[in-house]
Amino acid sequence: MRMLIIEDEQEIREYLKINFEKEGYVVDTAEDGEHGSYLARTNEYQIIILDHILPKKTGLKVVEDIRESLRSVPIIMLSVETAIPNKINCFKAGADDYVTKPFSYQELTMRIKTVLKRPYDIKSSTYTINDLTIYTDKQQVTKNGKELPLTRKEFMLLECLAKEKGRVLTRGALMENVWDMNIDPFSNTLETHILNLRKKIGKNGKNIIKTVTGRGYRIAE
Ligand code: CA
């Protein structure tokens, strides 16, 4: 799941990024409304957390920009403003929820879950590939019942491929789903992770994660 956080307060922005990454989100951030609006309209996100009082462009204007671009991504607004007309304007512009600052992280995660339940099915799922079982809710992979010690990125890569079993995922698609915008698209990070993942899977690693020359990777059906 890819998330965008638009928040000018560094402390809140970093705190949210670190915590949501721990939960398995890929998190991009923007420090002002203009950059946030640009990222929201040029990338595919599953959820956007948007502060209201921002430099260069208000959160309300950012919501308007996003909806004008015909994107239906759920938006949760954060704001110190408690006045009802403010909230109503944000909802009218197309925000899905409004959380008043100071907020608790727990409350925000609950609200995200509620908002996501509407357009997305986030039921936990299990994928089986050969002797591997992937548990999305626990972020765990077992081989013949024994847990594999995967890093978070390795897990996300495998999950991403498993969800699209049989389909080729391009390098770009995998990078976009597993790393945030700060990744250098020309680095060999993806290749290194695939290599390590195959090693951890063991002897049949190469047969499970297949390289499709010139196109990307896929998990055989
Ligand atoms: Ca602010």
Side-chain angles (χ1 to χ4, degrees):
M1 288 259 244
R2 200 174 178 91
M3 170 190 283
L4 174 63
I5 297 171
I6 309 171
E7 166 65 81
D8 59 326
E9 281 169 70
Q10 189 185 4
E11 213 173 303
I12 300 181
R13 193 173 61 239
E14 285 173 2
Y15 171 81
L16 291 178
K17 181 172 165 78
I18 289 168
N19 281 284
F20 283 119
E21 280 179 346
K22 274 189 204 150
E23 291 195 34
Y25 286 91
V26 172
V27 183
D28 285 345
T29 57
E31 299 171 25
D32 65 65
E34 221 166 72
H35 186 219
S37 168
Y38 171 76
L39 287 179
R41 287 176 289 118
T42 50
N43 293 287
E44 292 298 326
Y45 294 104
Q46 277 75 51
I47 181 93
I48 295 178
I49 309 294
L50 172 63
D51 183 27
H52 190 203
I53 304 175
L54 287 166
K56 295 186 185 173
K57 204 170 235 186
T58 64
L60 178 62
K61 187 73 190 65
V62 176
V63 176
E64 287 170 357
D65 285 357
I66 296 170
R67 296 306 182 224
E68 264 168 36
S69 74
L70 301 178
R71 288 176 185 264
S72 59
V73 50
I75 303 171
I76 299 182
M77 302 221 37
L78 298 177
S79 185
V80 288
E81 291 158 303
T82 52
I84 301 296
N86 255 326
K87 294 189 189 180
I88 289 175
N89 284 339
C90 290
F91 282 118
K92 271 189 184 161
D96 294 85
D97 203 352
Y98 190 105
V99 179
T100 311
K101 285 180 177 175
F103 60 93
S104 85
Y105 177 73
Q106 233 178 351
E107 183 190 353
L108 183 58
T109 55
M110 286 319 295
R111 291 199 186 232
I112 290 175
K113 282 182 183 153
T114 310
V115 162
L116 287 180
K117 253 179 218 161
R118 279 184 276 157
Y120 296 99
D121 187 2
I122 53 156
K123 261 188 284 175
S124 63
S125 12
T126 308
Y127 301 98
T128 312
I129 303 154
N130 244 301
D131 48 6
L132 299 180
T133 311
I134 302 166
Y135 301 93
T136 59
D137 54 340
K138 294 186 276 184
Q139 294 194 28
Q140 193 190 57
V141 180
T142 61
K143 183 184 165 94
N144 294 322
K146 211 177 146 226
E147 189 179 345
L148 288 185
L150 301 188
T151 64
R152 197 164 68 235
K153 294 291 185 204
E154 288 163 0
F155 176 84
M156 286 163 80
L157 253 183
L158 186 62
E159 182 191 29
C160 209
L161 286 160
K163 272 186 190 164
E164 305 287 338
K165 198 155 116 179
R167 258 191 65 202
V168 179
L169 288 180
T170 62
R171 195 168 188 278
L174 285 168
M175 300 274 273
E176 196 164 287
N177 276 291
V178 179
W179 283 275
D180 64 33
M181 62 185 189
N182 299 315
I183 182 84
D184 171 7
F186 300 108
S187 74
N188 63 354
T189 309
L190 173 67
E191 288 70 19
T192 312
H193 278 76
I194 293 273
L195 205 71
N196 290 337
L197 194 50
R198 282 176 176 155
K199 264 190 218 156
K200 287 183 184 177
I201 292 171
K203 257 195 294 192
N204 53 355
K206 241 185 156 162
N207 291 326
I208 288 182
I209 304 172
K210 291 200 185 289
T211 303
V212 184
T213 313
R215 292 175 63 202
Y217 299 93
R218 98 185 140 87
I219 281 186
E221 286 219 73

